[in-house]
Amino acid sequence: MIATRWSHRLLGLVSTMILARLLMPEDFGLVATVVATVAIMDGFFDFGFDLALIRDQNAGRPEFDAVWTLRFLKALLFGGLLMASSPWIADYANAPEVVNISLVMGLGIAFKGLENIGVVVFQKELQFDRLFRFRLFPRLLGVAATIGLALWLRSYWAIVLGSLSRYVFEVLFSYWMSDYRPRFRISGMAKLWHFSRWILVNNVSRQLFNAADRFTLAGLVSKRDLGYYTVSADVASTVTVDLMGPAGSALVPGYAKLQDEPARLRSAFLISTAVFVALITPASVGVWSLAPELTAVLLGDQWHAAAPIIGLFALVWLFYAVAENLGKFMTMSGLQDKAALIGLCRTVLFLALFYPLFQWGGISAPIILKLGLSALEMVVLFAYCSHRLDLPLPALPAMLWRPAMAAGAMALALAYLPLPAQTPALAALVVKSALGAGVYASVSLTLWLLSGRPAGLEATLSTLLFRRRSAPGALS
């Protein structure tokens, strides 16, 4: 599953690198208006039925068919609402082009509802090789189509039509990869709703938290600035949480299977969370430190104004990713109502404070607000997880202090590295990345040894290395 997500996001990053050089920031800003609307609507229609199927070890054809039926009806309603609301969206954003963009994307969303529910079995039964192929091939074809259209059209339509093509490929591949053939069924929906009602609340709050700022900014800033904001958030997410997030998502089915084994569940939670924090922290702090070089290499010179925004979003995704990982554990542990209510409080605070802070501090202020609220959510979620597992509250600082200190040392080393001013961006990025990785690894290892070798990323890597050396036939 990790390889699946990594390949998926790597393709997205490659696509962004190419499109950023073929299209203008204004093109991304136009599409971002509709994408933000889609994300907000999706929150109100995302009932988390896939998670319900994964969590229910006894789910069979009735449940699978009911989920497929609900997803199909949801897609029809979702796509229709987007098409119907397109004139109002265009009027708010002062962009008539949004109408036609919404019509095409609404059609794609409706078609996506036909996707075969049988592919959920790949994740439920830990068939990650099949999941890898299902996620990779449609994405690869979609990226190729988008880049080809950008070379031909040189307009925002490349992004729109590329997204439509990806939806088509995903539906076609879902029936090619799975022999399951869904049927229309409405019985069994009440059982699904009992689990998914809190998932809906959580998804609504999450999507509003992630997309309401982009939609609101569509009517407050230029399309160029909105393009900077949107692409910066996506790039920072891709090279931080999207690369490291699969390490947490891969454990969701495992959490579900350990519900009746509290000792093993506690151990799995502690080790997986410590490993995840140790991975996401250097990635996020590294992107913050290397934002100018990353922007120049990934996006090109015309995007230089996006560098500070990318750096801030990298720190946002650090706390957001840890909070999301904790929320998934709570969902699989029967605490989905608590996770949903905590997320809802976070989002209400964000919506209430967004506009006043924007008026006071400009486009960076809402990002800093997201950073603070995500950090607060992380602490509160960990408190609930600790109570569920009978862990002491100091367990959170024990997980955070070594990665935090190692990342701080890395940031200082990068800030004071004496590189000549005329050093090419790519060369500076390579040198700083190597230095940062070396400083983080050495400081982290030293602190781990001084701390008595507690469980975490260092212990996991040490165990794997020892086993490899001890294996029959290993070189001495």
Side-chain angles (χ1 to χ4, degrees):
M1 188 171 183
I2 295 176
T4 301
R5 290 283 298 273
W6 278 354
S7 61
H8 189 78
R9 296 308 180 186
L10 181 61
L11 285 172
L13 182 61
V14 170
S15 176
T16 300
M17 290 175 62
I18 297 174
L19 293 177
R21 288 163 169 79
L22 295 175
L23 306 177
M24 299 298 294
E26 291 86 345
D27 293 318
F28 288 89
L30 271 174
V31 178
T33 305
V34 181
V35 171
T37 306
V38 169
I40 293 171
M41 287 186 175
D42 186 50
F44 287 91
F45 287 95
D46 188 356
F47 296 95
F49 290 138
D50 290 6
L51 282 178
L53 292 178
I54 293 172
R55 188 173 186 268
D56 185 359
Q57 299 300 309
N58 298 316
R61 173 168 280 278
E63 289 78 16
F64 274 77
D65 286 347
V67 169
W68 180 83
T69 302
L70 286 170
R71 291 205 319 188
F72 176 62
L73 295 176
K74 178 201 83 168
L76 290 179
L77 181 59
F78 186 1
L81 282 176
L82 180 62
M83 295 179 188
S85 61
S86 59
W88 289 276
I89 302 171
D91 183 62
Y92 172 74
N94 194 26
E97 303 92 336
V98 165
V99 173
N100 289 332
I101 296 174
S102 299
L103 293 176
V104 174
M105 295 192 74
L107 178 64
I109 290 168
F111 184 77
K112 182 77 161 58
L114 293 171
E115 184 177 289
N116 190 354
I117 192 63
V119 296
V120 174
V121 174
F122 300 163
Q123 187 173 357
K124 182 180 177 68
E125 301 298 333
L126 308 181
Q127 299 174 9
F128 294 133
D129 56 333
R130 302 180 71 187
L131 183 64
F132 176 81
R133 295 196 300 272
F134 170 65
R135 295 277 177 81
L136 176 64
F137 294 149
R139 179 67 171 174
L140 183 61
L141 292 172
V143 166
T146 303
I147 294 173
L149 288 166
L151 289 168
W152 176 35
L153 300 173
R154 297 299 177 105
S155 81
Y156 58 86
W157 278 111
I159 305 174
V160 178
L161 296 177
S163 297
L164 178 63
S165 69
R166 190 178 78 247
Y167 289 148
V168 172
F169 291 135
E170 285 173 348
V171 172
L172 295 178
F173 269 82
S174 71
Y175 287 93
W176 178 61
M177 293 288 298
S178 174
D179 293 331
Y180 189 87
R181 292 298 176 261
R183 303 168 187 168
F184 194 87
R185 183 193 298 264
I186 59 174
S187 61
M189 293 184 181
K191 179 182 177 182
L192 293 167
W193 174 248
H194 179 73
F195 172 81
S196 298
R197 55 185 174 176
W198 290 111
I199 302 296
L200 174 62
V201 174
N202 186 57
N203 288 337
V204 169
S205 65
R206 185 183 70 246
Q207 293 298 78
L208 283 172
F209 185 71
N210 287 336
D213 51 342
R214 306 186 194 194
F215 179 80
T216 306
L217 289 173
L220 299 175
V221 301
S222 68
K223 295 299 172 287
R224 186 177 187 85
D225 287 342
L226 181 59
Y228 286 143
Y229 189 91
T230 301
V231 173
S232 295
D234 292 341
V235 168
S237 174
T238 299
V239 295
T240 55
V241 64
D242 289 342
L243 287 179
M244 302 304 168
S249 298
L251 294 168
V252 172
Y255 287 148
K257 294 178 182 295
L258 294 176
Q259 291 307 302
D260 298 327
E261 302 179 64
R264 291 185 63 195
L265 181 63
R266 185 184 304 111
S267 176
F269 171 80
L270 286 172
I271 294 174
S272 63
T273 304
V275 169
F276 184 73
V277 170
L279 289 172
I280 191 68
T281 301
S284 297
V285 176
V287 171
W288 175 70
S289 301
L290 300 174
E293 292 83 5
L294 274 171
T295 303
V297 172
L298 296 181
L299 303 179
D301 293 336
Q302 66 173 334
W303 292 86
H304 68 277
I309 307 175
I310 290 177
L312 283 176
F313 266 115
L315 298 180
V316 171
W317 297 133
L318 165 60
F319 296 104
Y320 179 85
V322 177
E324 282 287 289
N325 201 41
L326 296 173
K328 289 174 182 176
F329 171 81
M330 291 179 67
T331 298
M332 291 294 105
S333 301
L335 299 174
Q336 62 268 24
D337 54 340
K338 303 293 191 302
L341 291 175
I342 293 168
L344 184 60
C345 291
R346 170 208 62 192
T347 300
V348 169
L349 284 173
F350 178 70
L351 295 177
L353 296 174
F354 172 85
Y355 188 72
L357 285 177
F358 170 77
Q359 291 290 90
W360 171 72
I363 205 169
S364 297
I367 309 176
I368 298 173
L369 175 62
K370 276 192 170 186
L371 173 61
L373 291 174
S374 295
L376 178 61
E377 182 191 20
M378 178 192 73
V379 173
V380 175
L381 287 175
F382 192 87
Y384 274 97
C385 292
S386 298
H387 179 73
R388 166 71 172 80
L389 296 168
D390 294 324
L391 293 172
L393 283 179
L396 176 59
M399 289 183 184
L400 296 180
W401 76 271
R402 292 197 316 277
M405 291 190 67
M410 176 184 70
L412 285 174
L414 294 177
Y416 290 101
L417 178 65
L419 284 180
Q422 66 273 19
T423 304
L426 180 58
L429 180 62
V430 171
V431 171
K432 287 187 173 183
S433 297
L435 174 65
V439 170
Y440 181 84
S442 59
V443 173
S444 181
L445 181 61
T446 301
L447 294 175
W448 176 67
L449 292 172
L450 293 175
S451 304
R453 304 186 180 188
L457 178 61
E458 303 91 345
T460 302
L461 293 177
S462 177
T463 300
L464 291 175
L465 182 61
F466 177 78
R467 287 178 179 175
R468 184 173 181 179
R469 287 184 175 180
S470 301
L475 296 176
S476 57

